Amino acid sequence: VILTGAGISAESGLATFRSADGLWNNHRVEDVATIEAFAHNPDYVHDFYNQMRPELFAAKPNPAHLAITKLQKNYTSPINIITQNVDTLHEKAGNQNVWHIHGQINQIVCLNCGHIFETWGDISDEDECPQCNIAGMLKPNIVFFGENLLYMDKVDKLLQKCDLFISVGTSGIVYPAAGFVQIAKFSGADTIELNMEQTSNNYFFDRHIVGPAGTTLPQLIDEILISE
Ligand code: BV8
């Protein structure tokens, strides 16, 4: 299992969440990525994601994403990617078995009928659902703080039978994703963390590889494939 966070997309030019000023794309996360913020001011939150969509649409995968495709093509056991990222760089790199536990920027969900559809365009509070035609109930299919994660039953199964857990570019702050390494460890997996620094989760990682993922992940994957 490979768990990825915003750090794997940093070398593709996308902002991470916990940059120095604590802001994210010049906004406080609490103002744009909580279910309360969305309920209170849906247009403000729609605008935030509408502005982000073109940048993520244009973003290109970097060597870290591409190395995962190489691993999936050459490794005998199945490799699953659990990503906290809402960008589609794993898919653009040709990665398979990608699970977006925090949702995706190019998906919209209707809170009236549950229909999920794809778009890279703008969404507003007036738009109608293409399935039930009710207006004003569309939300980015992104898991806000206070919402349950997606695919958690699949994630639980993957972590229970995981024998190698690699965490790439996540600060280990946001739960429950930050607790996945613990479940993998207790299931007997070897655990490796790739980050620019050691994170707060260091107790559960057997190995820390410090450096940019665009360099460290291809190197680790070559090491794994040679020992295959
Ligand atoms: C839930 C959507 C159950 C927006 C996101 C108090 C204590 C503990 C937990 C909580 C608490 N209060 C509330 C909670 C729960 C809360 C939580 O964990 N809060 C934290 C902040 C304390 N979690 C939730 O609400 C989750 N839901 O628990 O549901 C529930 C349900 C109902 C009622 C009750 C309970 C929902 C969490 C999902 C929230 N949505 N995103 C969007 O993405 O548009 S989270 C957001 O943070 C992103 O998804 C992001 O991916 C995620 C994690 O951040 P990272 O990916 O790690 O990014 P970050 O910038 O932090 O770090 C980047 C790392 O990369 C750094 O370490 C850096 O060193 C490294 N790096 C940088 N460059 C590179 C690099 N590494 C390698 N190479 C590089 N080049």
mmCIF file of all heavy atoms in Angstrom, residues 114-161:
data_model
loop_
_atom_site.group_PDB
_atom_site.id
_atom_site.type_symbol
_atom_site.label_atom_id
_atom_site.label_comp_id
_atom_site.label_asym_id
_atom_site.label_seq_id
_atom_site.Cartn_x
_atom_site.Cartn_y
_atom_site.Cartn_z
ATOM 1 N N GLY A 114 -27.529 11.969 -4.518
ATOM 2 C CA GLY A 114 -26.300 11.165 -4.390
ATOM 3 C C GLY A 114 -25.564 10.937 -5.694
ATOM 4 O O GLY A 114 -24.501 10.315 -5.730
ATOM 5 N N HIS A 115 -26.094 11.428 -6.804
ATOM 6 C CA HIS A 115 -25.446 11.250 -8.116
ATOM 7 C C HIS A 115 -24.075 11.918 -8.103
ATOM 8 O O HIS A 115 -23.928 13.041 -7.617
ATOM 9 C CB HIS A 115 -26.333 11.886 -9.200
ATOM 10 C CG HIS A 115 -25.758 11.829 -10.583
ATOM 11 N ND1 HIS A 115 -25.421 10.637 -11.193
ATOM 12 C CD2 HIS A 115 -25.460 12.806 -11.467
ATOM 13 C CE1 HIS A 115 -24.946 10.892 -12.396
ATOM 14 N NE2 HIS A 115 -24.949 12.189 -12.585
ATOM 15 N N ILE A 116 -23.057 11.219 -8.635
ATOM 16 C CA ILE A 116 -21.704 11.785 -8.744
ATOM 17 C C ILE A 116 -21.369 11.890 -10.228
ATOM 18 O O ILE A 116 -21.562 10.928 -10.972
ATOM 19 C CB ILE A 116 -20.669 10.882 -8.039
ATOM 20 C CG1 ILE A 116 -20.930 10.869 -6.528
ATOM 21 C CG2 ILE A 116 -19.240 11.382 -8.324
ATOM 22 C CD1 ILE A 116 -20.024 9.925 -5.738
ATOM 23 N N PHE A 117 -20.914 13.096 -10.637
ATOM 24 C CA PHE A 117 -20.512 13.249 -12.041
ATOM 25 C C PHE A 117 -19.209 14.035 -12.126
ATOM 26 O O PHE A 117 -18.778 14.663 -11.156
ATOM 27 C CB PHE A 117 -21.621 13.931 -12.859
ATOM 28 C CG PHE A 117 -22.011 15.314 -12.390
ATOM 29 C CD1 PHE A 117 -21.479 16.449 -13.001
ATOM 30 C CD2 PHE A 117 -22.900 15.476 -11.335
ATOM 31 C CE1 PHE A 117 -21.852 17.718 -12.579
ATOM 32 C CE2 PHE A 117 -23.289 16.745 -10.896
ATOM 33 C CZ PHE A 117 -22.757 17.866 -11.516
ATOM 34 N N GLU A 118 -18.555 13.937 -13.286
ATOM 35 C CA GLU A 118 -17.247 14.580 -13.460
ATOM 36 C C GLU A 118 -17.395 15.907 -14.187
ATOM 37 O O GLU A 118 -18.222 16.029 -15.095
ATOM 38 C CB GLU A 118 -16.322 13.679 -14.301
ATOM 39 C CG GLU A 118 -16.087 12.322 -13.676
ATOM 40 C CD GLU A 118 -14.609 11.896 -13.698
ATOM 41 O OE1 GLU A 118 -13.817 12.507 -14.439
ATOM 42 O OE2 GLU A 118 -14.278 10.953 -12.974
ATOM 43 N N THR A 119 -16.614 16.887 -13.750
ATOM 44 C CA THR A 119 -16.499 18.121 -14.522
ATOM 45 C C THR A 119 -15.211 18.828 -14.101
ATOM 46 O O THR A 119 -14.782 18.705 -12.949
ATOM 47 C CB THR A 119 -17.693 19.082 -14.284
ATOM 48 O OG1 THR A 119 -17.470 20.269 -15.089
ATOM 49 C CG2 THR A 119 -17.777 19.520 -12.819
ATOM 50 N N TRP A 120 -14.591 19.504 -15.045
ATOM 51 C CA TRP A 120 -13.450 20.388 -14.712
ATOM 52 C C TRP A 120 -13.883 21.846 -14.748
ATOM 53 O O TRP A 120 -13.076 22.760 -14.580
ATOM 54 C CB TRP A 120 -12.283 20.154 -15.681
ATOM 55 C CG TRP A 120 -11.542 18.879 -15.409
ATOM 56 C CD1 TRP A 120 -11.681 17.688 -16.062
ATOM 57 C CD2 TRP A 120 -10.558 18.658 -14.380
ATOM 58 N NE1 TRP A 120 -10.836 16.740 -15.506
ATOM 59 C CE2 TRP A 120 -10.138 17.317 -14.483
ATOM 60 C CE3 TRP A 120 -9.994 19.459 -13.390
ATOM 61 C CZ2 TRP A 120 -9.181 16.754 -13.636
ATOM 62 C CZ3 TRP A 120 -9.034 18.922 -12.540
ATOM 63 C CH2 TRP A 120 -8.636 17.568 -12.674
ATOM 64 N N GLY A 121 -15.191 22.046 -14.951
ATOM 65 C CA GLY A 121 -15.682 23.426 -15.058
ATOM 66 C C GLY A 121 -16.142 23.965 -13.716
ATOM 67 O O GLY A 121 -16.009 23.328 -12.685
ATOM 68 N N ASP A 122 -16.721 25.183 -13.738
ATOM 69 C CA ASP A 122 -17.198 25.829 -12.510
ATOM 70 C C ASP A 122 -18.542 25.249 -12.055
ATOM 71 O O ASP A 122 -19.321 24.758 -12.883
ATOM 72 C CB ASP A 122 -17.387 27.342 -12.762
ATOM 73 C CG ASP A 122 -16.056 28.062 -12.894
ATOM 74 O OD1 ASP A 122 -15.018 27.364 -12.763
ATOM 75 O OD2 ASP A 122 -16.057 29.271 -13.147
ATOM 76 N N ILE A 123 -18.748 25.298 -10.776
ATOM 77 C CA ILE A 123 -20.027 24.867 -10.194
ATOM 78 C C ILE A 123 -20.524 26.020 -9.308
ATOM 79 O O ILE A 123 -19.734 26.676 -8.627
ATOM 80 C CB ILE A 123 -19.811 23.592 -9.330
ATOM 81 C CG1 ILE A 123 -19.593 22.390 -10.244
ATOM 82 C CG2 ILE A 123 -20.991 23.338 -8.408
ATOM 83 C CD1 ILE A 123 -20.847 21.948 -11.004
ATOM 84 N N SER A 124 -21.826 26.289 -9.341
ATOM 85 C CA SER A 124 -22.350 27.326 -8.441
ATOM 86 C C SER A 124 -23.548 26.771 -7.669
ATOM 87 O O SER A 124 -24.029 25.671 -7.956
ATOM 88 C CB SER A 124 -22.821 28.535 -9.259
ATOM 89 O OG SER A 124 -24.099 28.228 -9.772
ATOM 90 N N ASP A 125 -23.973 27.579 -6.711
ATOM 91 C CA ASP A 125 -25.060 27.116 -5.848
ATOM 92 C C ASP A 125 -26.388 27.085 -6.600
ATOM 93 O O ASP A 125 -27.375 26.559 -6.122
ATOM 94 C CB ASP A 125 -25.156 28.050 -4.629
ATOM 95 C CG ASP A 125 -25.923 27.389 -3.494
ATOM 96 O OD1 ASP A 125 -25.801 26.152 -3.374
ATOM 97 O OD2 ASP A 125 -26.682 28.076 -2.792
ATOM 98 N N GLU A 126 -26.400 27.675 -7.812
ATOM 99 C CA GLU A 126 -27.663 27.683 -8.573
ATOM 100 C C GLU A 126 -27.770 26.483 -9.532
ATOM 101 O O GLU A 126 -28.837 26.202 -10.052
ATOM 102 C CB GLU A 126 -27.780 28.972 -9.409
ATOM 103 C CG GLU A 126 -28.079 30.236 -8.586
ATOM 104 C CD GLU A 126 -26.854 30.725 -7.818
ATOM 105 O OE1 GLU A 126 -25.774 30.895 -8.430
ATOM 106 O OE2 GLU A 126 -26.962 30.887 -6.579
ATOM 107 N N ASP A 127 -26.633 25.796 -9.761
ATOM 108 C CA ASP A 127 -26.666 24.742 -10.783
ATOM 109 C C ASP A 127 -27.576 23.576 -10.411
ATOM 110 O O ASP A 127 -27.715 23.234 -9.220
ATOM 111 C CB ASP A 127 -25.237 24.199 -10.986
ATOM 112 C CG ASP A 127 -24.363 25.225 -11.698
ATOM 113 O OD1 ASP A 127 -24.933 26.070 -12.422
ATOM 114 O OD2 ASP A 127 -23.136 25.213 -11.501
ATOM 115 N N GLU A 128 -28.164 22.967 -11.459
ATOM 116 C CA GLU A 128 -29.056 21.826 -11.244
ATOM 117 C C GLU A 128 -28.277 20.510 -11.355
ATOM 118 O O GLU A 128 -27.306 20.417 -12.104
ATOM 119 C CB GLU A 128 -30.142 21.808 -12.341
ATOM 120 C CG GLU A 128 -31.269 22.784 -12.132
ATOM 121 C CD GLU A 128 -32.317 22.638 -13.246
ATOM 122 O OE1 GLU A 128 -32.332 21.579 -13.934
ATOM 123 O OE2 GLU A 128 -33.087 23.591 -13.424
ATOM 124 N N CYS A 129 -28.746 19.518 -10.664
ATOM 125 C CA CYS A 129 -28.167 18.175 -10.776
ATOM 126 C C CYS A 129 -28.619 17.556 -12.104
ATOM 127 O O CYS A 129 -29.819 17.583 -12.422
ATOM 128 C CB CYS A 129 -28.667 17.293 -9.626
ATOM 129 S SG CYS A 129 -28.274 15.543 -9.824
ATOM 130 N N PRO A 130 -27.689 17.000 -12.898
ATOM 131 C CA PRO A 130 -28.085 16.403 -14.186
ATOM 132 C C PRO A 130 -28.963 15.155 -14.024
ATOM 133 O O PRO A 130 -29.607 14.712 -14.949
ATOM 134 C CB PRO A 130 -26.744 16.043 -14.842
ATOM 135 C CG PRO A 130 -25.732 16.047 -13.761
ATOM 136 C CD PRO A 130 -26.238 16.935 -12.671
ATOM 137 N N GLN A 131 -28.994 14.624 -12.807
ATOM 138 C CA GLN A 131 -29.778 13.389 -12.591
ATOM 139 C C GLN A 131 -31.186 13.720 -12.060
ATOM 140 O O GLN A 131 -32.173 13.278 -12.606
ATOM 141 C CB GLN A 131 -29.030 12.529 -11.559
ATOM 142 C CG GLN A 131 -29.763 11.294 -11.123
ATOM 143 C CD GLN A 131 -29.287 10.047 -11.861
ATOM 144 O OE1 GLN A 131 -28.532 10.149 -12.821
ATOM 145 N NE2 GLN A 131 -29.711 8.898 -11.425
ATOM 146 N N CYS A 132 -31.279 14.517 -10.987
ATOM 147 C CA CYS A 132 -32.604 14.761 -10.386
ATOM 148 C C CYS A 132 -33.132 16.157 -10.695
ATOM 149 O O CYS A 132 -34.241 16.511 -10.287
ATOM 150 C CB CYS A 132 -32.542 14.566 -8.855
ATOM 151 S SG CYS A 132 -31.564 15.800 -8.000
ATOM 152 N N ASN A 133 -32.299 16.963 -11.381
ATOM 153 C CA ASN A 133 -32.684 18.325 -11.819
ATOM 154 C C ASN A 133 -33.002 19.289 -10.679
ATOM 155 O O ASN A 133 -33.576 20.346 -10.909
ATOM 156 C CB ASN A 133 -33.883 18.260 -12.785
ATOM 157 C CG ASN A 133 -33.555 17.388 -13.989
ATOM 158 O OD1 ASN A 133 -32.441 17.493 -14.530
ATOM 159 N ND2 ASN A 133 -34.450 16.507 -14.361
ATOM 160 N N ILE A 134 -32.632 18.914 -9.457
ATOM 161 C CA ILE A 134 -32.838 19.839 -8.327
ATOM 162 C C ILE A 134 -31.642 20.797 -8.304
ATOM 163 O O ILE A 134 -30.493 20.358 -8.454
ATOM 164 C CB ILE A 134 -32.934 19.050 -6.987
ATOM 165 C CG1 ILE A 134 -34.136 18.096 -7.018
ATOM 166 C CG2 ILE A 134 -32.985 19.996 -5.802
ATOM 167 C CD1 ILE A 134 -35.484 18.800 -6.966
ATOM 168 N N ALA A 135 -31.892 22.080 -8.105
ATOM 169 C CA ALA A 135 -30.810 23.072 -8.076
ATOM 170 C C ALA A 135 -30.358 23.313 -6.636
ATOM 171 O O ALA A 135 -31.089 23.036 -5.682
ATOM 172 C CB ALA A 135 -31.316 24.387 -8.672
ATOM 173 N N GLY A 136 -29.119 23.811 -6.541
ATOM 174 C CA GLY A 136 -28.623 24.271 -5.242
ATOM 175 C C GLY A 136 -28.208 23.176 -4.285
ATOM 176 O O GLY A 136 -28.028 23.418 -3.095
ATOM 177 N N MET A 137 -28.030 21.942 -4.806
ATOM 178 C CA MET A 137 -27.634 20.846 -3.903
ATOM 179 C C MET A 137 -26.310 20.206 -4.347
ATOM 180 O O MET A 137 -25.971 19.114 -3.909
ATOM 181 C CB MET A 137 -28.733 19.764 -3.887
ATOM 182 C CG MET A 137 -30.051 20.244 -3.324
ATOM 183 S SD MET A 137 -29.877 20.655 -1.575
ATOM 184 C CE MET A 137 -30.007 19.031 -0.856
ATOM 185 N N LEU A 138 -25.582 20.899 -5.225
ATOM 186 C CA LEU A 138 -24.333 20.305 -5.724
ATOM 187 C C LEU A 138 -23.150 20.697 -4.837
ATOM 188 O O LEU A 138 -23.081 21.834 -4.358
ATOM 189 C CB LEU A 138 -24.073 20.763 -7.176
ATOM 190 C CG LEU A 138 -25.141 20.358 -8.192
ATOM 191 C CD1 LEU A 138 -24.733 20.822 -9.597
ATOM 192 C CD2 LEU A 138 -25.366 18.842 -8.182
ATOM 193 N N LYS A 139 -22.252 19.762 -4.587
ATOM 194 C CA LYS A 139 -21.077 19.981 -3.740
ATOM 195 C C LYS A 139 -19.873 19.319 -4.410
ATOM 196 O O LYS A 139 -20.018 18.245 -4.998
ATOM 197 C CB LYS A 139 -21.335 19.340 -2.365
ATOM 198 C CG LYS A 139 -20.145 19.225 -1.439
ATOM 199 C CD LYS A 139 -20.558 18.516 -0.147
ATOM 200 C CE LYS A 139 -19.389 18.096 0.715
ATOM 201 N NZ LYS A 139 -18.531 17.079 0.124
ATOM 202 N N PRO A 140 -18.694 19.963 -4.319
ATOM 203 C CA PRO A 140 -17.519 19.235 -4.823
ATOM 204 C C PRO A 140 -17.440 17.882 -4.108
ATOM 205 O O PRO A 140 -17.708 17.813 -2.895
ATOM 206 C CB PRO A 140 -16.349 20.124 -4.402
ATOM 207 C CG PRO A 140 -16.930 21.483 -4.215
ATOM 208 C CD PRO A 140 -18.341 21.274 -3.745
ATOM 209 N N ASN A 141 -17.126 16.809 -4.829
ATOM 210 C CA ASN A 141 -17.051 15.493 -4.157
ATOM 211 C C ASN A 141 -15.719 15.398 -3.428
ATOM 212 O O ASN A 141 -14.874 14.549 -3.701
ATOM 213 C CB ASN A 141 -17.168 14.357 -5.184
ATOM 214 C CG ASN A 141 -17.371 13.021 -4.476
ATOM 215 O OD1 ASN A 141 -17.932 12.977 -3.371
ATOM 216 N ND2 ASN A 141 -16.904 11.952 -5.076
ATOM 217 N N ILE A 142 -15.565 16.318 -2.488
ATOM 218 C CA ILE A 142 -14.342 16.430 -1.679
ATOM 219 C C ILE A 142 -14.755 16.258 -0.226
ATOM 220 O O ILE A 142 -15.778 16.805 0.195
ATOM 221 C CB ILE A 142 -13.665 17.804 -1.920
ATOM 222 C CG1 ILE A 142 -12.972 17.777 -3.292
ATOM 223 C CG2 ILE A 142 -12.689 18.141 -0.806
ATOM 224 C CD1 ILE A 142 -12.333 19.064 -3.696
ATOM 225 N N VAL A 143 -13.994 15.475 0.538
ATOM 226 C CA VAL A 143 -14.318 15.206 1.939
ATOM 227 C C VAL A 143 -13.838 16.388 2.773
ATOM 228 O O VAL A 143 -12.630 16.601 2.925
ATOM 229 C CB VAL A 143 -13.648 13.905 2.402
ATOM 230 C CG1 VAL A 143 -13.928 13.664 3.888
ATOM 231 C CG2 VAL A 143 -14.143 12.731 1.567
ATOM 232 N N PHE A 144 -14.757 17.169 3.293
ATOM 233 C CA PHE A 144 -14.389 18.312 4.132
ATOM 234 C C PHE A 144 -14.129 17.827 5.559
ATOM 235 O O PHE A 144 -14.542 16.728 5.944
ATOM 236 C CB PHE A 144 -15.528 19.353 4.129
ATOM 237 C CG PHE A 144 -15.749 20.008 2.797
ATOM 238 C CD1 PHE A 144 -17.035 20.300 2.351
ATOM 239 C CD2 PHE A 144 -14.680 20.337 1.967
ATOM 240 C CE1 PHE A 144 -17.245 20.911 1.118
ATOM 241 C CE2 PHE A 144 -14.888 20.932 0.732
ATOM 242 C CZ PHE A 144 -16.170 21.216 0.307
ATOM 243 N N PHE A 145 -13.455 18.637 6.338
ATOM 244 C CA PHE A 145 -13.285 18.307 7.758
ATOM 245 C C PHE A 145 -14.665 18.142 8.384
ATOM 246 O O PHE A 145 -15.575 18.925 8.114
ATOM 247 C CB PHE A 145 -12.483 19.403 8.470
ATOM 248 C CG PHE A 145 -11.033 19.380 8.094
ATOM 249 C CD1 PHE A 145 -10.543 20.215 7.110
ATOM 250 C CD2 PHE A 145 -10.171 18.467 8.694
ATOM 251 C CE1 PHE A 145 -9.212 20.165 6.723
ATOM 252 C CE2 PHE A 145 -8.834 18.409 8.318
ATOM 253 C CZ PHE A 145 -8.360 19.255 7.331
ATOM 254 N N GLY A 146 -14.801 17.052 9.152
ATOM 255 C CA GLY A 146 -16.106 16.778 9.774
ATOM 256 C C GLY A 146 -16.929 15.810 8.955
ATOM 257 O O GLY A 146 -17.980 15.361 9.381
ATOM 258 N N GLU A 147 -16.436 15.444 7.742
ATOM 259 C CA GLU A 147 -17.145 14.455 6.927
ATOM 260 C C GLU A 147 -16.402 13.119 6.964
ATOM 261 O O GLU A 147 -15.174 13.091 7.082
ATOM 262 C CB GLU A 147 -17.212 14.925 5.463
ATOM 263 C CG GLU A 147 -18.166 16.085 5.212
ATOM 264 C CD GLU A 147 -18.423 16.256 3.724
ATOM 265 O OE1 GLU A 147 -17.499 16.714 3.005
ATOM 266 O OE2 GLU A 147 -19.535 15.914 3.281
ATOM 267 N N ASN A 148 -17.119 12.058 6.789
ATOM 268 C CA ASN A 148 -16.484 10.728 6.740
ATOM 269 C C ASN A 148 -15.706 10.556 5.445
ATOM 270 O O ASN A 148 -16.052 11.124 4.424
ATOM 271 C CB ASN A 148 -17.572 9.649 6.813
ATOM 272 C CG ASN A 148 -17.945 9.371 8.267
ATOM 273 O OD1 ASN A 148 -17.065 9.213 9.103
ATOM 274 N ND2 ASN A 148 -19.217 9.363 8.560
ATOM 275 N N LEU A 149 -14.646 9.765 5.518
ATOM 276 C CA LEU A 149 -13.811 9.525 4.341
ATOM 277 C C LEU A 149 -14.507 8.553 3.392
ATOM 278 O O LEU A 149 -15.402 7.819 3.798
ATOM 279 C CB LEU A 149 -12.461 8.939 4.788
ATOM 280 C CG LEU A 149 -11.375 9.954 5.127
ATOM 281 C CD1 LEU A 149 -11.810 10.885 6.236
ATOM 282 C CD2 LEU A 149 -10.080 9.266 5.494
ATOM 283 N N LEU A 150 -14.039 8.529 2.147
ATOM 284 C CA LEU A 150 -14.567 7.607 1.139
ATOM 285 C C LEU A 150 -13.744 6.311 1.160
ATOM 286 O O LEU A 150 -12.579 6.317 1.553
ATOM 287 C CB LEU A 150 -14.483 8.259 -0.247
ATOM 288 C CG LEU A 150 -15.157 9.627 -0.398
ATOM 289 C CD1 LEU A 150 -14.907 10.193 -1.802
ATOM 290 C CD2 LEU A 150 -16.651 9.541 -0.114
ATOM 291 N N TYR A 151 -14.339 5.194 0.726
ATOM 292 C CA TYR A 151 -13.656 3.914 0.523
ATOM 293 C C TYR A 151 -13.036 3.329 1.807
ATOM 294 O O TYR A 151 -12.081 2.556 1.735
ATOM 295 C CB TYR A 151 -12.540 4.059 -0.532
ATOM 296 C CG TYR A 151 -12.994 4.720 -1.812
ATOM 297 C CD1 TYR A 151 -12.482 5.953 -2.189
ATOM 298 C CD2 TYR A 151 -13.967 4.131 -2.619
ATOM 299 C CE1 TYR A 151 -12.918 6.576 -3.347
ATOM 300 C CE2 TYR A 151 -14.388 4.750 -3.776
ATOM 301 C CZ TYR A 151 -13.863 5.973 -4.137
ATOM 302 O OH TYR A 151 -14.302 6.599 -5.275
ATOM 303 N N MET A 152 -13.564 3.695 2.980
ATOM 304 C CA MET A 152 -12.908 3.240 4.209
ATOM 305 C C MET A 152 -13.007 1.719 4.410
ATOM 306 O O MET A 152 -12.099 1.110 4.990
ATOM 307 C CB MET A 152 -13.473 3.972 5.425
ATOM 308 C CG MET A 152 -12.904 5.368 5.590
ATOM 309 S SD MET A 152 -11.089 5.389 5.604
ATOM 310 C CE MET A 152 -10.791 4.960 7.300
ATOM 311 N N ASP A 153 -14.066 1.083 3.900
ATOM 312 C CA ASP A 153 -14.120 -0.382 4.085
ATOM 313 C C ASP A 153 -13.016 -1.042 3.232
ATOM 314 O O ASP A 153 -12.329 -1.959 3.672
ATOM 315 C CB ASP A 153 -15.510 -0.937 3.748
ATOM 316 C CG ASP A 153 -16.068 -0.351 2.450
ATOM 317 O OD1 ASP A 153 -15.350 0.488 1.846
ATOM 318 O OD2 ASP A 153 -17.186 -0.712 2.061
ATOM 319 N N LYS A 154 -12.801 -0.503 2.041
ATOM 320 C CA LYS A 154 -11.726 -1.021 1.178
ATOM 321 C C LYS A 154 -10.380 -0.772 1.841
ATOM 322 O O LYS A 154 -9.507 -1.650 1.877
ATOM 323 C CB LYS A 154 -11.792 -0.318 -0.185
ATOM 324 C CG LYS A 154 -10.681 -0.682 -1.164
ATOM 325 C CD LYS A 154 -10.786 -2.108 -1.633
ATOM 326 C CE LYS A 154 -9.673 -2.485 -2.593
ATOM 327 N NZ LYS A 154 -9.679 -3.919 -2.969
ATOM 328 N N VAL A 155 -10.201 0.437 2.389
ATOM 329 C CA VAL A 155 -8.930 0.801 3.040
ATOM 330 C C VAL A 155 -8.646 -0.149 4.203
ATOM 331 O O VAL A 155 -7.538 -0.659 4.356
ATOM 332 C CB VAL A 155 -8.979 2.268 3.531
ATOM 333 C CG1 VAL A 155 -7.850 2.576 4.504
ATOM 334 C CG2 VAL A 155 -8.924 3.221 2.349
ATOM 335 N N ASP A 156 -9.677 -0.424 4.999
ATOM 336 C CA ASP A 156 -9.470 -1.331 6.149
ATOM 337 C C ASP A 156 -8.956 -2.692 5.670
ATOM 338 O O ASP A 156 -7.997 -3.237 6.213
ATOM 339 C CB ASP A 156 -10.777 -1.514 6.931
ATOM 340 C CG ASP A 156 -11.080 -0.298 7.805
ATOM 341 O OD1 ASP A 156 -10.127 0.484 8.067
ATOM 342 O OD2 ASP A 156 -12.252 -0.111 8.196
ATOM 343 N N LYS A 157 -9.574 -3.220 4.597
ATOM 344 C CA LYS A 157 -9.149 -4.541 4.102
ATOM 345 C C LYS A 157 -7.694 -4.484 3.610
ATOM 346 O O LYS A 157 -6.883 -5.354 3.902
ATOM 347 C CB LYS A 157 -10.063 -4.999 2.944
ATOM 348 C CG LYS A 157 -11.481 -5.363 3.373
ATOM 349 C CD LYS A 157 -12.234 -6.072 2.228
ATOM 350 C CE LYS A 157 -13.694 -6.309 2.573
ATOM 351 N NZ LYS A 157 -14.483 -5.033 2.548
ATOM 352 N N LEU A 158 -7.368 -3.405 2.891
ATOM 353 C CA LEU A 158 -6.005 -3.272 2.349
ATOM 354 C C LEU A 158 -4.970 -3.214 3.483
ATOM 355 O O LEU A 158 -3.915 -3.842 3.411
ATOM 356 C CB LEU A 158 -5.905 -2.013 1.482
ATOM 357 C CG LEU A 158 -6.656 -2.041 0.150
ATOM 358 C CD1 LEU A 158 -6.603 -0.669 -0.520
ATOM 359 C CD2 LEU A 158 -6.064 -3.105 -0.772
ATOM 360 N N LEU A 159 -5.292 -2.467 4.531
ATOM 361 C CA LEU A 159 -4.323 -2.299 5.627
ATOM 362 C C LEU A 159 -4.173 -3.590 6.429
ATOM 363 O O LEU A 159 -3.084 -3.911 6.898
ATOM 364 C CB LEU A 159 -4.741 -1.141 6.541
ATOM 365 C CG LEU A 159 -4.726 0.245 5.896
ATOM 366 C CD1 LEU A 159 -5.284 1.298 6.860
ATOM 367 C CD2 LEU A 159 -3.325 0.629 5.430
ATOM 368 N N GLN A 160 -5.265 -4.358 6.548
ATOM 369 C CA GLN A 160 -5.200 -5.613 7.305
ATOM 370 C C GLN A 160 -4.252 -6.612 6.629
ATOM 371 O O GLN A 160 -3.546 -7.348 7.288
ATOM 372 C CB GLN A 160 -6.594 -6.266 7.406
ATOM 373 C CG GLN A 160 -7.638 -5.471 8.179
ATOM 374 C CD GLN A 160 -7.255 -5.161 9.615
ATOM 375 O OE1 GLN A 160 -6.497 -5.911 10.234
ATOM 376 N NE2 GLN A 160 -7.740 -4.038 10.122
ATOM 377 N N LYS A 161 -4.241 -6.602 5.254
ATOM 378 C CA LYS A 161 -3.416 -7.633 4.613
ATOM 379 C C LYS A 161 -2.178 -7.026 3.939
ATOM 380 O O LYS A 161 -1.570 -7.611 3.064
ATOM 381 C CB LYS A 161 -4.236 -8.462 3.621
ATOM 382 C CG LYS A 161 -4.969 -7.750 2.537
ATOM 383 C CD LYS A 161 -5.815 -8.794 1.784
ATOM 384 C CE LYS A 161 -6.228 -8.497 0.392
ATOM 385 N NZ LYS A 161 -6.263 -7.184 -0.132
#
